[in-house]
Amino acid sequence: MFGKLRRLDRDVSRLALEESERLPSAERRRFLRNGLFTAGGAMVGGALAGIAPKALAATQYPPEIPSWTRTLGPGVVADPYGVPSPFEKEVIRRNVPWLTADKVSSISFSPLQHLKGIITPNGLFFERHHAGRPEIDPQQHRLMIHGLVERPIILSMEDLQRFPSVSQINFIECPANGGMEWRGAQLNSLQFLHGMVSCAEWTGVRLSTLLQDAGIKTQGKWVLAEGADGAAMTRSIPLEKALDDVIVAYAQNGEALRREQGYPIRLVVPGWEGNTHVKWLRRLEVGDKPWMQREETSKYTDLMPDGTAHGFTWVMEAKSVITSPCPEMPLRGKGIHQIEGLAWSGRGKVKAVDVSVDGGQNWQQAQLREPVMSKSLTRFSLEWKWDGNPALLQSRVIDETGYVQPTLGQLRQARGTNSIYHKNSIQTWKVNGDGGVVNVQLS
């Protein structure tokens, strides 16, 4: 019997020692300082025999039984809507206070560095306001469809939800995502550099269904979408796109839209810049030409090197970014690491993603993780053995149309440095010898 106990002591000691190697250094010192192994495993054996050393009570790690196993927890519906663990309190949207003059016309950024898969939780979906978030009573909200139509209609929420619904997974990206860095590296953060993109499952009614119900006159070529926010955000959309894959969405990831995402209804215009996905939608007008509103002339218009405007630039071109490692996710020691990231294209599916660890001199093809869907985020990964030396990490996406994500130099050559929008060039992260990661620019 004593022989079996001694062998059990040795086995548990070995397992506990292996486990201690995975602990943060401070926790490991405390674990060892508590004397777990000072008698060649005798104390572990003592604990197993029912002798509980006071030292073991200081830790929640095996073989000790953690405190939360000894007590009852809150019951069901303790949180009727559900909230994240308090240990995830740092995983939140953030904004850059100096980026805009006021919070009512501002932007928050999704924490891409902490997200898994391709779906962005509703509470972490980036938000963009042009005049603050309106509080709309769905019982009093109406959607008007008029202009060059045979039968102008006004729909209540109940009327709208009588139409056949569809669900589709699409990303939405603000065209200003990354736009602060046209002239140079400014922000050392994945979240603040690229967090104006998110992805969700949207449920609603195809816009084509509603327009066909109203009856489009032959002169109708464009649709004006207008929001019910204080800015009355408006964008002109060609009828061809409106009849293609646009939906009037009332649900996101299985629940009603969040207020900051356009409750009770918004447009979802797959693959196009975020401002065309008009939130708090109240009016759709069919016309024969674009309206050239403020948000499509003085705003959301790219300036070319000679100062002229680029005109309508709806499609979000293919882009990718490494989400780990990144400034918020440094490397913890040499050895095997998974380089992970996200890629997307407003023109369709991601076909391939290449990764470089030497600033673009050599490339390796990354693994695309399923699902890979059109106009949706796609996750990629590549196993990498880091030798502890500085490295320059990059990714570049190729979409199904053959478009290749440009280098910063190529983009600047074509577009200059006067713009704010549609900066989709290759991002470079520099890994330092201590594992820290910083934002740098390579042309």
Side-chain angles (χ1 to χ4, degrees):
M1 176 179 179
F2 290 114
K4 287 184 178 179
L5 275 177
R6 279 195 293 271
R7 286 195 295 276
L8 183 58
D9 284 352
R10 286 197 297 272
D11 290 344
V12 172
S13 296
R14 176 178 53 77
L15 291 172
L17 184 60
E18 291 174 359
E19 184 63 27
S20 76
E21 296 291 340
R22 302 187 181 95
L23 299 178
S25 57
E27 293 291 346
R28 185 169 185 271
R29 284 195 297 273
R30 188 176 66 182
F31 191 78
L32 298 176
R33 189 170 59 245
N34 285 339
L36 190 61
F37 306 106
T38 53
M43 293 187 72
V44 172
L48 293 174
I51 304 170
K54 291 182 180 179
L56 285 180
T59 177
Q60 307 281 11
Y61 298 117
E64 180 69 351
I65 297 174
S67 58
W68 44 82
T69 305
R70 303 171 181 168
T71 59
L72 297 176
V76 295
V77 299
D79 298 308
Y81 197 78
V83 294
S85 164
F87 298 100
E88 301 295 325
K89 63 182 181 182
E90 295 301 316
V91 183
I92 55 174
R93 293 182 293 221
R94 289 184 167 83
N95 72 318
V96 179
W98 50 261
L99 189 61
T100 54
D102 196 299
K103 285 187 177 180
V104 300
S105 180
S106 191
I107 304 161
S108 72
F109 301 81
S110 289
L112 301 182
Q113 69 277 14
H114 293 300
L115 301 185
K116 309 298 180 186
I118 60 171
I119 297 296
T120 309
N122 291 344
L124 298 176
F125 207 97
F126 87 95
E127 57 185 331
R128 172 75 169 109
H129 302 165
H130 292 80
R133 164 175 57 77
E135 200 74 70
I136 297 177
D137 179 352
Q139 296 297 321
Q140 300 184 41
H141 189 68
R142 298 291 184 271
L143 173 61
M144 179 169 65
I145 302 177
H146 66 122
L148 296 176
V149 297
E150 302 292 344
R151 297 172 295 281
I153 54 178
I154 296 178
L155 301 172
S156 67
M157 286 298 297
E158 182 179 352
D159 295 333
L160 180 66
Q161 295 190 34
R162 289 180 180 177
F163 286 91
S165 67
V166 296
S167 295
Q168 55 196 44
I169 295 177
N170 297 121
F171 75 84
I172 297 179
E173 181 181 20
C174 176
N177 199 21
M180 292 171 282
E181 306 235 327
W182 273 98
R183 299 184 179 183
Q186 293 193 57
L187 297 171
N188 198 42
S189 162
L190 168 67
Q191 184 167 1
F192 291 141
L193 280 175
H194 302 287
M196 285 192 282
V197 64
S198 300
C199 186
E201 181 194 53
W202 307 98
T203 298
V205 181
R206 289 202 183 283
L207 180 52
S208 60
T209 301
L210 299 176
L211 292 176
Q212 286 163 6
D213 189 67
I216 306 168
K217 293 184 177 179
T218 54
Q219 308 97 303
K221 304 296 181 188
W222 290 76
V223 176
L224 180 75
E226 180 182 284
D229 58 326
M233 175 72 183
T234 48
R235 285 303 310 259
S236 305
I237 299 172
L239 191 60
E240 182 180 7
K241 178 66 175 178
L243 297 178
D244 181 15
D245 54 2
V246 178
I247 67 173
V248 176
Y250 47 75
Q252 178 182 357
N253 293 332
E255 66 174 13
L257 294 177
R258 295 289 177 99
R259 296 173 297 176
E260 61 270 32
Q261 296 303 326
Y263 181 84
I265 51 175
R266 72 175 301 169
L267 276 190
V268 172
V269 189
W272 283 27
E273 58 186 28
N275 58 80
T276 62
H277 304 232
V278 174
K279 298 191 285 190
W280 312 292
L281 184 67
R282 66 170 293 272
R283 187 168 72 92
L284 294 165
E285 180 180 354
V286 178
D288 58 357
K289 56 183 179 299
W291 281 258
M292 306 307 288
Q293 296 283 333
R294 172 182 179 272
E295 305 297 346
E296 48 202 19
T297 53
S298 67
K299 305 296 181 184
Y300 298 119
T301 300
D302 302 77
L303 289 179
M304 302 302 288
D306 62 0
T308 59
H310 199 200
F312 289 117
T313 51
W314 297 297
V315 175
M316 299 308 298
E317 300 288 7
K319 182 176 176 180
S320 69
V321 65
I322 292 172
T323 58
S324 181
C326 69
E328 294 96 330
M329 304 291 279
L331 295 176
R332 306 291 187 188
K334 303 176 186 177
I336 298 295
H337 294 273
Q338 293 292 321
I339 296 175
E340 292 191 34
L342 293 167
W344 59 96
S345 171
R347 296 191 185 279
K349 290 183 179 179
V350 168
K351 181 180 179 182
V353 176
D354 297 327
V355 170
S356 174
V357 298
D358 56 12
Q361 296 181 53
N362 298 282
W363 295 91
Q364 303 176 69
Q365 188 164 343
Q367 177 188 0
L368 300 185
R369 296 187 186 175
E370 295 291 343
V372 178
M373 295 180 289
S374 180
K375 302 166 188 174
S376 167
L377 294 187
T378 297
R379 189 164 285 275
F380 64 88
S381 63
L382 178 74
E383 187 174 294
W384 176 46
K385 187 175 183 179
W386 183 47
D387 59 8
N389 290 316
L392 293 168
L393 305 187
Q394 296 180 328
S395 66
R396 68 179 178 193
V397 59
I398 301 95
D399 72 15
E400 63 179 344
T401 71
Y403 179 92
V404 181
Q405 184 178 2
T407 65
L408 181 58
Q410 290 170 332
L411 191 63
R412 281 176 172 163
Q413 185 175 20
R415 303 272 303 283
T417 58
N418 291 326
S419 188
I420 298 174
Y421 308 111
H422 295 271
K423 183 181 176 297
N424 67 321
S425 60
I426 291 172
Q427 169 68 49
T428 305
W429 300 129
K430 181 183 178 184
V431 179
N432 293 321
D434 62 0
V437 181
V438 294
N439 171 33
V440 297
Q441 289 193 342
L442 297 179
S443 58

